Every structure is written in structure tokens, then in C-alpha cells.
Amino acid sequence: MGLRHSSRCLLLRRKMAEADSSERQQPVKSSLSQSAQPSPLPKPVPTTHHVPCIPHTPHVAVLATCPGRGKIAKFISPEEMTSRDYYFDSYAHFGIHEEMLKDEVRTLTYRNAMYHNKHVFKDKIVLDVGSGTGILSMFAANAGAKHVYGIECSSISEYSEKIIKSNHLHNVITIFKGKVEEVELPVEKVDIIVSEWMGYCLFYESMLNTVIFARDKWLKPGGLMFPDRAALYVVAIEDRQYKDFKIHCK
Ligand code: SAH
């Protein structure tokens, strides 16, 4: 299953730039000026120990450090978050998820992949890596999965629980708030892993490591990955103006 990807990072940064920096008295200038730069690629997370899994409890202090997004000292509910907090937990902002959901090619490809293969999902245990709003978990549940576990490190997981409940799927879907690399699931293995991990130029965001980690830890032998392959097409171009500006400048 191949997928085209949308430009969610830039969108978010635009939103951040527009946000009211005076929400808190603390200056956010340095964050905003940094935001023009790509964030450094995250290092793989050590996997020597696993913290016990905590089913998500709102307003509880949890170290929420989504890879590639810096750190926030404590977990705050989305209602309390300011633009400064969103800078450090960018996926907490519904805007970025709205944009992803509205990307029809992206969202419908996932939906079709699951709805057109209901025989594959029927009575299966599914893991959604980076579940966000829970959209892929809900597709999997509607496709007939016996149970779906979603793992999400950003505080958007709070909303996802409400969305899942509104769709009456809370008996089939369980969301865990935390990093994939640290959460423990109540099952040893899963039959299927679904994930939307692709970033700019496919690999930006470096979520692929996380998906591979989840596959190696939880996927049954012969289990399925959605998607299980991706293609990156590259073409060389020369932008004369940019080159002059960046390289031939005096
Ligand atoms: N599945 C959702 C969201 C995709 S965006 C959808 O298709 O709409 C990727 C999500 O993965 C983000 O919400 C991000 O916070 C989460 N994520 C990235 N790395 C993660 C990690 N190591 N552990 C848990 N969640 C992670």
C-alpha cells in the first residue's frame, strides 16, 4: 500500500507563527525563530526497560516527550496549552490532525485498505502506532477487529478517547498515552499493525524507527503491516536563485 503524504509540519509551524505569543508572560521568541529551522532528527530511544503501561488519565503529570518534538516538563490538558506548549508537543494541536484527516488521499487510502479487506481484520488484534485522533483505530474497529490498541505520546490522545467514545467504539479500542518505546500492552502479540508514520520526503519525523520497534516487539510471525512498503521518487533540480543566495553570496 503506497501513500502520498501531506505537509503537516510546515502547516503547524505556520499556525505557531500566527499564534498569540502573549498568552503567557514568558517570551516565546526564541522558539518561534527556531521554528523556521527543521527540528533535529531524534535519536533512537533506548529500549532497555519498559515502564508499566498507563491507560490514559487526563490531567496527570506524565513525561510526554514525542520524538523530534523536544520536551515538555509535564503533561497538560489541551485546554490549558498555549502556543509555547504546542511548540514542544506539536501533535497536541487539533489543527495538525484536522489537516491530516482532510487529506483525502491519505485518509481514504487507509480507510479503503481496511474496509476492502474486512476478512483480514475480522477478529484480529490490531495495534495503531501513533494513533493521533484515533482515526486508524476506528477504521480497524469498523473493519471487524476484535480489539485495537492505540499508542499516542501527544496529548491529542485525550481528544481521541472522546472521539472514540462518541463513535461507540470504546469497548473495542484502548488508547495508551505514552511512547511506543515505553508502553507495555496487555497482550504479548498483535496480528496487525497500522501506522501513519510518513513525513516529508518519506523519512522526515523519523517515525519509521518507532514502527520497526513496534513490529519487532509485538507483531506475530506472519502478521501484517499497513502499509508494508513505500516508494520514494527523487529527482535532482537546480534552483539558480537559491544557490546564488545560499552559496555564491559574498
Ligand atoms: N494515526 C493518526 C496520526 C498520524 S501522525 C492519523 O493517521 O491521523 C503520527 C502520530 O504519531 C502523531 O500523533 C505523533 O504524536 C505520534 N507519535 C510519533 N512518535 C511516537 C512515539 N514514539 N510514540 C507514540 N506516538 C508517537
Side-chain angles (χ1 to χ4, degrees):
M1 173 178 137
L3 290 170
R4 205 187 63 179
H5 197 264
S6 62
S7 52
R8 55 197 192 224
C9 294
L10 274 191
L11 176 98
L12 183 83
R13 292 199 169 120
R14 208 182 322 133
K15 281 189 195 303
M16 297 277 318
E18 287 163 9
D20 177 13
S21 60
S22 64
E23 284 166 276
R24 281 187 183 177
Q25 294 309 309
Q26 302 160 19
V28 293
K29 252 192 165 169
S30 60
S31 298
L32 291 176
S33 58
Q34 278 168 22
S35 70
Q37 303 296 325
S39 38
L41 293 178
K43 301 251 180 340
V45 180
T47 57
T48 44
H49 70 282
H50 300 287
V51 296
C53 79
I54 320 162
H56 173 60
T57 319
H59 309 290
V60 169
V62 174
L63 264 182
T65 55
C66 277
R69 326 244 158 248
K71 294 174 194 250
I72 55 174
K74 63 181 172 66
F75 174 58
I76 334 171
S77 75
E79 288 82 8
E80 294 170 285
M81 290 175 76
T82 66
S83 56
R84 184 185 171 85
D85 300 314
Y86 282 120
Y87 178 76
F88 291 112
D89 184 7
S90 58
Y91 276 111
H93 198 290
F94 68 85
I96 198 85
H97 292 276
E98 180 185 353
E99 207 60 28
M100 284 192 281
L101 296 174
K102 284 180 177 167
D103 180 340
E104 281 191 23
V105 173
R106 185 200 88 102
T107 306
L108 292 183
T109 303
Y110 274 97
R111 193 183 73 176
N112 291 340
M114 293 189 236
Y115 284 16
H116 294 172
N117 288 290
K118 287 190 175 164
H119 60 289
V120 170
F121 280 82
K122 188 164 170 22
D123 296 330
K124 293 294 190 322
I125 302 294
V126 178
L127 172 62
D128 180 358
V129 172
S131 48
T133 51
I135 185 74
L136 304 186
S137 297
M138 292 188 286
F139 287 158
N142 285 335
K146 186 173 166 192
H147 205 90
V148 185
Y149 298 101
I151 309 178
E152 174 54 55
C153 60
S154 158
S155 49
I156 193 71
S157 60
E158 267 195 49
Y159 286 124
S160 76
E161 288 182 320
K162 291 178 187 166
I163 295 166
I164 288 163
K165 199 154 190 203
S166 309
N167 283 281
H168 311 291
L169 290 170
H170 51 288
N171 291 331
V172 189
I173 303 172
T174 311
I175 300 294
F176 292 96
K177 165 124 177 64
K179 280 166 78 172
V180 167
E181 293 82 353
E182 293 169 359
V183 160
E184 284 195 6
L185 294 179
V187 288
E188 285 232 328
K189 295 287 170 194
V190 302
D191 301 295
I192 300 176
I193 290 179
V194 296
S195 184
E196 205 279 77
W197 51 267
M198 294 75 78
Y200 283 137
C201 213
L202 198 59
F203 298 113
Y204 191 85
E205 293 188 40
S206 287
M207 234 189 108
L208 181 57
N209 285 352
T210 298
V211 179
I212 302 288
F213 174 93
R215 181 198 67 185
D216 294 349
K217 183 171 178 185
W218 286 301
L219 192 63
K220 274 183 187 163
L224 297 176
M225 304 278 294
F226 281 71
D228 63 353
R229 66 195 149 90
L232 178 63
Y233 298 94
V234 181
V235 64
I237 56 146
E238 178 171 319
D239 180 339
R240 181 83 182 263
Q241 237 181 350
Y242 183 78
K243 197 171 157 193
D244 285 347
F245 179 65
K246 283 296 213 193
I247 298 168
H248 300 144
C249 57
K250 297 211 167 99

